[in-house]
Amino acid sequence: MEVLSVEDLRVKLEGREVLKGVNFSLKKGEKVFITGPNGAGKTTFLETLMGFVPFEGEILFKGKHLKSEDDFALLRGRVGYVFQNPDDQLFAPTVEEELAFAPLVKGIKREQVKEIVERTLREFEIKHLRNKPTYKLSGGEKRIVSVACVVTMDPEVILLDEPTTGLDRNKWEKLVEFFERTGSSLVVVTHDTKLMERLGWKRYVMEDGKLCSA
Amino acid sequence: MDTATEGEKVETPLNGEGLLSRLDPRVKIVLFLVLAWTVALAGNLLQVFVFLPLALLFYSTAYRKTTTILKLLLFADFFLLFVVLTQLFLGSPYEGILIFFKSTVIVLFSLLLLTTSSVFDLLHALHHLKVPNKLLQITFFFYRYLFTVREQLQLAEKSAKSRGFIPKTSIQTYKTYAYFMGNLLLKSYFKSENVYKALISRGFKGYFPVFRHFELRKLDILFSLFTIIYWGVAVWKFYL
Ligand SMILES: Nc1ncnc2c1ncn2[C@@H]1O[C@H](COP(=O)(O)OP(=O)(O)O)[C@@H](O)[C@H]1O
Ligand SMILES: [Mg+2]
């Protein structure tokens, strides 16, 4: 079954056509890569899927057409998004609070949230960062926390924008293990050839606002 | 979205639109000061209204952005309305109405003459008009950071929303906004430190070198002459 699909998606930013009729669909549990040159429209594509950019065309989540802000608010509870720049994403005072944010917003009970946070800290081996203010993290630490804080919302789909940039060997490995293990569908925008070779998922190429399968 | 476009956001609402944008900002600043000063000194409505045709003439040259100007003006007038209301209750309605129209005309002139240049050009012009450098730099950075701060706030909001946050009246919502504020303060602080580092690492020595310089053209002279003559006649007929 298709969780997310897009038909003839067009986006204009400041009068310039950035997405020129994108078609795309993602099945439940499916994991794919999107690559392509800088400025091709990859980030814009993900932002549009999240409902942050005005668009023409169709976006469907589980067969439902998304139009209004309310539709997208619903989608955002189920689809996670890891920003290209983790600095833009992190806003809570500590790592722990950052991870607890999404489940708390969902209305999950405190005890359970605690469990989720513990598990995620363990999964990504970032327990020692628990009480650190997010602005004091190193580049790679910020990156892994920005992934972790989306994972705790237990999304059906996760969109990730260049998530391996700046990770050391160990964090890279942890992230790959998560990618393999998770039951969520994944859309990973990346230039990391090692990552693509290791996982061997289907690849799409975004070029000049058009998406083709490679 | 990449942050490389940040610099372009240092913009005024009407820059690049119509005849007034093509004028030398030095000319526009001086004329603005003269007109604003005169209107501010007006003692009755007639003395204010005599400048309205001039303002409307300027307005008509910004043909593509006339609705933007109107919106900005209404926004300012919304606040001025409070002044009028206070004056009404304090017992001098005429005074209130006078202040309202004076301010409206001055705001209109400032929109037309000042916001049709970029902030950078305006500051550059003020430098030529002998305003102290330090003051100009503080203004520039203040303006520059206003946009950064707004952008940071929007990004935090986007991040929260993408994790299912919907603003409501709940403790969770208040807590989230408290996070936004704390985050904003810290990020602004670190961002300003980084910008400072970026500046000095490229040899910043306390002033902005300017690549493009102004030159007074025929259009500037004609415009100044016309405005000054209008002003002279208005003052002679209605003020003296
Ligand atoms: N907010 C914006 N306003 C105007 N143009 C934008 C904006 N964001 C991105 N763009 C432009 O859209 C194009 C695609 O950008 P982006 O989606 O970030 O590319 P990618 O992620 O593939 O590198 C670029 O040319 C970029 O300059
Ligand atoms: Mg990008």
Side-chain angles (χ1 to χ4, degrees), chain A residues 13-14 16 18 37-45 84, chain B residues 1-2:
Chain A
L13 291 174
E14 288 169 7
R16 210 167 62 81
V18 177
N38 300 134
K42 304 180 295 297
T43 299
T44 308
F45 179 52
Q84 180 166 4
Chain B
M1 241 159 275
D2 297 326

Side-chain angles (χ1 to χ4, degrees), chain B residues 66-110:
Chain B
T66 43
T67 40
T68 310
I69 301 173
L70 268 182
K71 267 187 214 155
L72 289 166
L73 194 62
L74 283 175
F75 182 70
D77 276 348
F78 178 73
F79 288 99
L80 288 172
L81 221 53
F82 287 103
V83 180
V84 178
L85 287 177
T86 340
Q87 287 291 335
L88 282 181
F89 289 116
L90 289 178
S92 52
Y94 186 77
E95 202 58 23
I97 289 164
L98 188 62
I99 291 174
F100 179 84
F101 281 109
K102 268 189 193 183
S103 313
T104 301
V105 170
I106 291 173
V107 169
L108 190 54
F109 275 131
S110 76

Side-chain angles (χ1 to χ4, degrees), chain A residues 78-117:
Chain A
R78 316 264 190 83
V79 176
Y81 172 42
V82 177
F83 287 31
Q84 180 166 4
N85 180 0
D87 255 329
D88 294 343
Q89 186 170 2
L90 306 175
F91 58 77
T94 65
V95 169
E96 200 172 40
E97 292 281 350
E98 195 75 58
L99 299 202
F101 181 80
L104 284 177
V105 162
K106 262 192 177 170
I108 294 174
K109 286 209 187 66
R110 224 150 258 284
E111 317 292 286
Q112 234 179 318
V113 172
K114 223 179 136 197
E115 256 171 55
I116 294 170
V117 170

